[in-house]
Amino acid sequence: DSPDEKKKIGDDVGSVLVASGWLFVGIPGRLRCWNMSDNSQFDLSGHQGQIHSIVPYTEQGMIFSGGMDCAILAWKYNQQTTRFEQVGAMHGHSGAILQLEVVGNLLFSASMDGTIRVWDLNSAQCVHTCQAHNQAVMGLLVWESHLLSCSLDGTIKVWTWNAPNLDLTYTHNLDHSVGVLGMCGSLNAKQQPVLVSACNDNAIRFFELPSFNKLGALKQRKDVRCVDSGPGMFFAGHSDGTVRVWKWV
């Protein structure tokens, strides 16, 4: 299908978020913001380098961004200026931040340094650091009461937050020398939960949840860089600039 509208960014896009009537696009050194109701736009400066993840903190009218500079920046909407403004920064990772997830008043951050950090959003303090993987933590996924992480080290891990610790519940090892670039949760045609994982051997692998039984794989001609889910379908983004849409049957 053709896109309804095309936004010309003019730079390498590292992340995208649609939330509360806004479109946020992460590009090197800037967070570009579009008000989708009047199509006005502005840029937010603060990061150095690419922005890899943007997540909403809806309860407080805020968003968080993380990227190459190892920093997590907090932005809040100002009713008077009708713009978002930086209201805080969280530091601690020694590698680029690749993924953020907000759960309640906690923020989970995944990094190139192999760690997952847990941040208390009431205090903006790191309350736990977990050496989660041997290589970069490429993705995080909240599933029921668990946090899943995937890595270039070829593992997908299941964690449970038992304050003040992030406890490892299960480790799933993929085939030898296969790294995981990203993952998403989806419901198949029978409304059963499936974990969809993009791997660096040009394959999309499927696992039943919570058993992690293998449900097969789709071998692709081009690199699969990322996956995401929609109602009755999932999407795969490839290195050749295409997004393929797959429907559950």
Side-chain angles (χ1 to χ4, degrees):
D1 290 344
S2 313
D4 292 333
E5 185 178 353
K6 187 180 289 186
K7 298 289 188 186
K8 188 170 179 58
I9 305 299
D11 216 329
D12 184 22
V13 175
S15 49
V16 174
L17 170 69
V18 176
S20 302
W22 290 84
L23 169 65
F24 303 97
V25 180
I27 56 179
R30 288 171 293 159
L31 191 59
R32 185 155 294 173
C33 310
W34 268 282
N35 185 326
M36 295 166 66
S37 63
D38 61 14
N39 212 32
S40 60
Q41 70 177 71
F42 53 88
D43 286 356
L44 301 174
S45 300
H47 280 288
Q48 302 294 319
Q50 185 59 283
I51 299 171
H52 294 302
S53 185
I54 316 166
V55 294
Y57 184 28
T58 310
E59 291 81 355
Q60 297 296 323
M62 297 173 65
I63 60 170
F64 295 98
S65 57
M68 187 64 70
D69 57 5
C70 312
I72 301 170
L73 302 185
W75 311 87
K76 189 175 178 66
Y77 185 71
N78 185 319
Q79 295 279 3
Q80 293 181 325
T81 63
T82 66
R83 290 185 171 223
F84 283 83
E85 299 172 353
Q86 186 181 335
V87 292
M90 292 173 277
H91 301 275
H93 281 292
S94 60
I97 294 163
L98 301 177
Q99 180 94 45
L100 300 171
E101 283 283 352
V102 172
V103 182
N105 65 340
L106 296 175
L107 174 68
F108 297 90
S109 56
S111 172
M112 284 280 289
D113 62 18
T115 68
I116 298 172
R117 284 181 174 252
V118 187
W119 308 82
D120 183 334
L121 294 179
N122 292 324
S123 63
Q125 298 297 311
C126 179
V127 294
H128 184 70
T129 303
C130 172
Q131 187 61 51
H133 291 271
N134 295 327
Q135 295 188 47
V137 186
M138 300 298 291
L140 297 174
L141 174 67
V142 176
W143 183 71
E144 295 186 346
S145 59
H146 301 288
L147 181 75
L148 279 64
S149 62
C150 65
S151 171
L152 292 178
D153 67 8
T155 64
I156 299 172
K157 296 187 177 183
V158 182
W159 308 86
T160 304
W161 175 245
N162 293 313
N165 295 312
L166 193 61
D167 294 333
L168 180 61
T169 305
Y170 174 72
T171 300
H172 184 79
N173 293 286
L174 275 73
D175 301 331
H176 179 65
S177 74
V178 174
V180 186
L181 299 172
M183 60 184 174
C184 68
S186 185
L187 294 175
N188 65 15
K190 297 179 181 178
Q191 296 299 293
Q192 297 165 327
V194 175
L195 181 67
V196 182
S197 60
C199 300
N200 62 2
D201 63 346
N202 295 8
I204 304 171
R205 287 176 169 78
F206 306 91
F207 303 97
E208 182 183 71
L209 290 175
S211 67
F212 271 88
N213 289 334
K214 293 181 180 179
L215 297 175
L218 283 172
K219 196 72 174 176
Q220 303 292 288
R221 290 192 300 270
K222 296 288 185 179
D223 294 349
V224 187
R225 296 292 175 83
C226 54
V227 289
D228 205 353
S229 61
M233 64 187 72
F234 67 91
F235 306 84
H238 297 260
S239 59
D240 62 358
T242 60
V243 176
R244 290 178 171 85
V245 185
W246 299 86
K247 186 176 180 180
W248 294 106
V249 293

